[in-house]
């Protein structure tokens, strides 16, 4: 909760301040963390918070990461070179309104660009620029086909516990555009598997999208590197193996649990 409560409000993007849980919650949370023999977490970002905000000894924290929820055997590219895809239910928190603003700017340079949004219902129609399509909820079994028909995955989230959707996009060979917050820089490697921009900045977001649409060779190379990175260490089988090793250390002879 310490990380969540540190997140700012983004009123222009429709995102209020996070709820205040109060000191009693923090005390109970800290007691549970400090009393644990070991803690496994998704990211270094959370590991730092556990040590800094809750006083957990760093050697009792293991970053096991997270895994992509989809990983097709092949990742064929069937896109038209101009389709940006967003996947996420919480439209405001995931930076949906910032993306709509950026997309409107992008269309001045790429008038045939398309933005496909999977997950949320369409907001106020007055805020939707031309070229935007809302699909509503999309199941995991439908996700690889949707991503194979997309050129760029964009999720300019404003507040994010981790960001598994980036792993799903990378697993399907898509370059990612995200925000430089929380654990996202651990997932999307700047300049290697995608581009990162400051949160809440539609101008820089539009420029990042423009760069990838304007350089398909770069975009394809980033997508290929992202898929290889997921295959090498970001599947749930990898996470399970890391967790198993962490638990084995806790139960090793001579170590107090």
């Amino acid at each position: 909760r310490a990380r969540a409560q540190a997140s700012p409000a983004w009123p222009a993007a429709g995102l209020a301040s996070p709820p205040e849980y109060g000191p009693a919650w923090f005390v109970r949370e800290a007691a549970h963390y400090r009393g644990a023999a070991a803690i496994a977490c998704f990211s270094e970002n959370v590991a730092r918070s556990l040590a800094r905000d809750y006083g957990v000894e760093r050697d009792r924290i293991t970053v096991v990461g997270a895994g992509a929820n989809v990983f097709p055997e092949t990742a064929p590219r069937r896109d038209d070179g101009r389709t940006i895809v967003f996947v996420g239910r919480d439209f405001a928190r995931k930076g949906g309104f910032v993306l709509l603003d950026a997309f409107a700017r992008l269309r001045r340079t790429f008038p045939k660009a398309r933005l496909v949004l999977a997950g949320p219902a369409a907001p106020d129609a007055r805020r939707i620029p031309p070229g935007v399509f809302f699909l509503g909820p999309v199941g995991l079994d439908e996700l690889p086909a949707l991503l194979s028909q997309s050129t760029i995955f964009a999720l300019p989230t404003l507040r994010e516990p981790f960001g598994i959707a980036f792993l799903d996009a990378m697993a399907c060979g898509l370059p990612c555009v995200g925000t430089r917050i929380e654990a996202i820089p651990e997932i999307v490697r700047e300049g290697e598997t995608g581009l990162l921009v400051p949160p809440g900045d539609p101008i820089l977001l539009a420029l990042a999208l423009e760069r990838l649409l304007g350089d398909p060779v770069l975009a394809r190379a980033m997508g290929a590197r992202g898929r290889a990175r997921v295959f090498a260490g970001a599947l749930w089988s990898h996470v399970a193996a890391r967790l198993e090793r962490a638990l084995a250390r806790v139960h090793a002879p001579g170590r107090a649990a």
Side-chain angles (χ1 to χ4, degrees):
R1 297 297 179 182
R3 292 302 312 138
Q5 290 188 188
S7 300
W10 297 91
L15 188 62
S17 297
E20 180 65 51
Y21 288 89
W25 179 283
F26 180 85
V27 169
R28 289 194 299 271
E29 196 178 16
H32 281 293
Y33 294 151
R34 291 174 189 163
I39 299 177
C41 59
F42 278 1
S43 67
E44 290 289 348
N45 179 60
V46 169
R48 287 191 295 270
S49 176
L50 287 166
R52 180 187 63 242
D53 301 322
Y54 297 97
V56 179
E57 296 172 7
R58 189 61 179 84
D59 64 358
R60 290 197 290 117
I61 305 169
T62 301
V63 177
V64 298
N69 288 324
V70 298
F71 193 85
E73 289 188 13
T74 61
R77 305 302 324 134
R78 300 190 177 100
D79 64 288
D80 54 11
R82 57 188 177 89
T83 298
I84 300 157
V85 66
F86 165 104
V87 179
R89 291 181 181 274
D90 194 341
F91 193 64
R93 180 174 66 82
K94 299 284 186 178
F97 291 112
V98 180
L99 181 56
L100 290 180
D101 188 349
F103 183 72
R105 298 169 187 270
L106 177 70
R107 291 264 293 193
R108 299 169 193 167
T109 307
F110 288 90
K112 293 185 178 180
R114 301 167 67 244
L115 174 60
V116 176
L117 300 113
D124 187 337
R126 292 171 296 180
R127 301 187 66 170
I128 303 175
V132 176
F133 304 88
F134 283 83
L135 301 182
V138 172
L140 282 178
D141 58 329
E142 303 172 277
L143 200 54
L146 172 64
L147 295 174
S148 74
Q149 297 173 58
S150 304
T151 310
I152 302 168
F153 177 77
L155 191 68
T157 185
L158 303 172
R159 190 179 298 152
E160 192 67 44
F162 184 71
I164 289 178
F166 288 107
L167 293 178
D168 292 338
M170 290 161 61
C172 294
L174 275 183
C176 297
V177 176
T179 40
R180 202 175 287 109
I181 65 167
E182 303 294 352
I184 295 172
E186 299 178 42
I187 306 168
V188 180
R189 291 186 175 175
E190 172 74 38
E192 180 181 339
T193 63
L195 301 174
L196 298 174
V197 299
D201 192 327
I203 295 175
L204 290 182
L205 177 57
L207 289 174
L209 296 172
E210 181 179 329
R211 179 182 172 190
L212 291 182
L213 286 184
D215 192 340
V217 173
L218 174 65
R220 291 289 177 94
M222 285 183 170
R225 287 193 291 265
R227 179 171 165 84
R229 184 161 183 248
V230 170
F231 183 73
L235 300 175
W236 284 114
S237 57
H238 298 129
V239 178
R242 289 190 286 266
L243 181 58
E244 186 175 23
R245 289 193 294 271
L247 292 174
R249 287 195 298 272
V250 172
H251 294 289
R255 173 160 180 167

